[in-house]
Amino acid sequence: MSHPSSLPLTPSIAPHPAASYAQNFAVSVADSGYTLKLSVGSQNVVLAACNSPSPPSGSISVPVQSLSIQQNAVLGYIERLGQRSSISSIGSDFATTPCALSITSSSTNASVTFGPTGVDVASAILSESSPLAMAEWIRFFDAFYGYQSNSTSIFNSIVSTYQCLTSKVSAFKNENSRPLAVISSSNLTSNSVIAPAHSAFWLAILSDAGIVPQIASSVSEFQSLTHSANLVFDLTDSGSTEYSLTLWESIYGVNSLTDGYPFLDGFKSQIWRFDKRSAHGINDFFNSFPAQPDLLLGDIISILDSSFFSKTPVDGSVEYWARDLAYSASYTEVSSSDCSSSTIGLSCPSSASFSPDIATFSTSSSSSSSSSSGVSAGSIVGGVVGGLAAAILLFLGLAWCVGRKRVQSGVDSQARGPFAWVKDVSTGRKFVALDDQTMEFGVVDAIGGKPRVNTAASAITGV
């Protein structure tokens, strides 16, 4: 990888803005612009320009020539920076994208390693409280490339797309009620319900998607909260464990047909996880999502409004990571052969409007809704009564017409009246039916049988 031939990093570092959202890393410049110090919790990482006249002892020369990934939450940033070619090795649990699967590990020691025995960043990234705070870590990783990867431009694009999507949602939120979702995780050792990790992040992004999120930390709390929930999210990092609807039902104590839960409706149940994409049985989500909050927000929006995106954001599926356990719950197994068509990020459809179709939402206040419900119920009852009255009148009219025809044809005497045949039918006696082709009457047994045709001249006078 190239480096500035004769200049220190000052032209790249000096204008680099301070973090706007991220809280868990800091950058400081020293030594006349030749040196950067990155702070992550109690860790300090010193980066020195490759042309530094006197790099500090133990510093990492940048731009780095190679790096190793040995923990989650890192891969997405390197790929989004366009620096995948610098990955010299990656653990199998962290190579979960099509292009990462094609990486052949090198025996050469990497310039920097993220993960065990190296720079530990995953916990700090995942502890950020907002989606854009996580995304801003792209600036942290670009420091290892001497800020040659346009991280500021990339981050600004993420912010622009994310804010465009939230503005679409806000237009709906300002005038309508919002869907309620319950979020939780599963302890797969004890098969119990627990509070999800990184809950602040999830509360933020679900709220940005127009959802009212609530956290369940036990099965009893889950069952109580979900009596009014439109959808639920299980946020368990299940590793290589296949998470099926059957497993979910055994943990949460309800099934897709249990009454009293709005989110449960057979194969239409709204039971969601973010584990659709996997590689060799390992979920991609926790490796990739921190760098792609725009794509995750798009996933959640497409769950609520299936027509929001006129075309698939990334790979031909309605959702990228999201998987409904109750419907089409299969996984998408990624392959290295998909690398050439793999894209990152999402575009906000400028002409789209957000209108959730996951459930029926009120467009007015509770009192107005109650009033509307009363009027609607009254209208329904009135409609039913009116319909029955009309049906009765129609039947009486037809019965009179048939009886009148019978009298005119000599089948019945005029003295019996036009409705006599109705009484005959109700008592099981033979009655006269109108033949479809001859339009003449014939005697038919009340229980069943083929009519024999009678003309007016030979019509029977009694039955």
Side-chain angles (χ1 to χ4, degrees):
M1 183 178 298
S2 63
H3 62 78
S5 58
S6 60
L7 295 174
L9 290 176
T10 304
S12 295
I13 291 176
H16 187 67
S20 303
Y21 300 89
Q23 302 293 315
N24 295 340
F25 77 86
V27 180
S28 59
V29 183
D31 192 20
S32 301
Y34 282 101
T35 305
L36 273 178
K37 185 174 78 171
L38 305 177
S39 300
V40 181
S42 61
Q43 301 174 94
N44 291 312
V45 181
V46 179
L47 307 180
C50 61
N51 59 343
S52 173
S54 55
S57 176
S59 62
I60 298 172
S61 179
V62 297
V64 295
Q65 301 301 307
S66 61
L67 61 83
S68 176
I69 299 176
Q70 302 301 325
Q71 65 178 178
N72 61 12
V74 175
L75 176 63
Y77 296 102
I78 307 304
E79 291 196 318
R80 196 145 199 180
L81 285 170
Q83 296 289 357
R84 188 186 302 113
S85 61
S86 68
I87 303 174
S88 60
S89 65
I90 184 170
S92 60
D93 286 354
F94 316 114
T96 53
T97 65
C99 295
L101 288 173
S102 63
I103 295 172
T104 302
S105 294
S106 169
S107 58
T108 305
N109 289 334
S111 303
V112 59
T113 297
F114 294 102
T117 74
V119 182
D120 183 7
V121 294
S123 59
I125 292 171
L126 295 173
S127 296
E128 294 285 3
S129 59
S130 76
L132 293 180
M134 280 192 190
E136 196 167 23
W137 274 75
I138 199 165
R139 289 175 168 166
F140 172 90
F141 288 99
D142 197 17
F144 292 87
Y145 300 100
Y147 295 119
Q148 295 183 12
S149 303
N150 299 316
S151 57
T152 295
S153 175
I154 295 170
F155 178 65
N156 288 342
S157 177
I158 294 172
V159 172
S160 176
T161 298
Y162 194 93
Q163 291 179 344
C164 174
L165 292 173
T166 57
S167 69
K168 303 285 187 181
V169 171
S170 295
F172 176 87
K173 284 199 314 185
N174 292 342
E175 299 181 3
N176 298 271
S177 62
R178 299 162 60 188
L180 189 148
V182 175
I183 61 175
S184 57
S185 288
S186 308
N187 182 324
L188 298 180
T189 302
S190 60
N191 277 6
S192 59
V193 177
I194 58 175
H198 323 303
S199 58
F201 168 86
W202 286 109
L203 292 174
I205 197 167
L206 290 172
S207 180
D208 286 343
I211 292 172
V212 177
Q214 294 183 318
I215 297 173
S217 57
S218 67
V219 66
S220 59
E221 187 175 19
F222 174 86
Q223 292 180 358
S224 175
L225 291 173
T226 51
H227 279 301
S228 56
N230 301 112
L231 67 166
V232 300
F233 293 95
D234 180 280
L235 305 173
T236 310
D237 182 359
S238 58
S240 59
T241 300
E242 183 175 343
Y243 204 113
S244 65
L245 177 61
T246 300
L247 176 59
W248 183 89
E249 291 174 342
S250 69
I251 293 172
Y252 286 87
V254 293
N255 62 61
S256 60
L257 297 176
T258 303
D259 291 333
Y261 297 90
F263 75 97
L264 293 175
D265 186 17
F267 69 88
K268 296 181 181 179
S269 298
Q270 302 294 330
I271 307 168
W272 292 92
R273 282 177 51 78
F274 294 100
D275 61 352
K276 183 176 182 179
R277 297 177 66 83
S278 65
H280 44 79
I282 302 297
N283 182 10
D284 169 64
F285 182 71
F286 291 94
N287 290 322
S288 298
F289 89 88
Q292 302 188 68
D294 46 348
L295 183 53
L296 176 56
L297 181 60
D299 246 19
I300 299 169
I301 287 175
S302 69
I303 290 172
L304 300 174
D305 180 359
S306 59
S307 62
F308 182 79
F309 293 101
S310 59
K311 61 180 181 179
T312 291
V314 178
D315 71 340
S317 58
V318 177
E319 290 85 25
Y320 189 69
W321 289 301
R323 181 173 69 101
D324 187 351
L325 294 183
Y327 181 74
S328 296
S330 60
Y331 293 94
T332 297
E333 184 70 19
V334 302
S335 167
S336 59
S337 62
D338 301 323
C339 180
S340 60
S341 60
S342 178
T343 57
I344 296 175
L346 180 70
S347 297
C348 178
S350 58
S351 61
S353 61
F354 176 67
S355 181
D357 54 18
I358 195 171
T360 302
F361 302 108
S362 169
T363 57
S364 56
S365 64
S366 299
S367 58
S368 298
S369 298
S370 176
S371 175
S372 297
S373 298
V375 172
S376 298
S379 299
I380 292 172
V381 171
V384 170
V385 172
L388 288 174
I392 292 172
L393 290 174
L394 178 61
F395 172 77
L396 292 175
L398 291 173
W400 183 85
C401 289
V402 171
R404 185 169 178 271
K405 183 68 174 178
R406 287 167 60 93
V407 171
Q408 291 175 343
S409 301
V411 174
D412 277 331
S413 65
Q414 188 168 358
R416 297 191 68 205
F419 295 103
W421 70 273
V422 177
K423 180 179 179 182
D424 293 341
V425 171
S426 64
T427 56
R429 301 175 65 189
K430 292 180 180 180
F431 64 97
V432 175
L434 192 66
D435 184 86
D436 291 338
Q437 296 182 352
T438 64
M439 295 304 292
E440 295 179 323
F441 286 100
V443 178
V444 182
D445 188 83
I447 297 176
K450 186 175 181 179
R452 60 176 176 81
V453 176
N454 293 271
T455 64
S458 62
I460 58 174
T461 55
V463 281

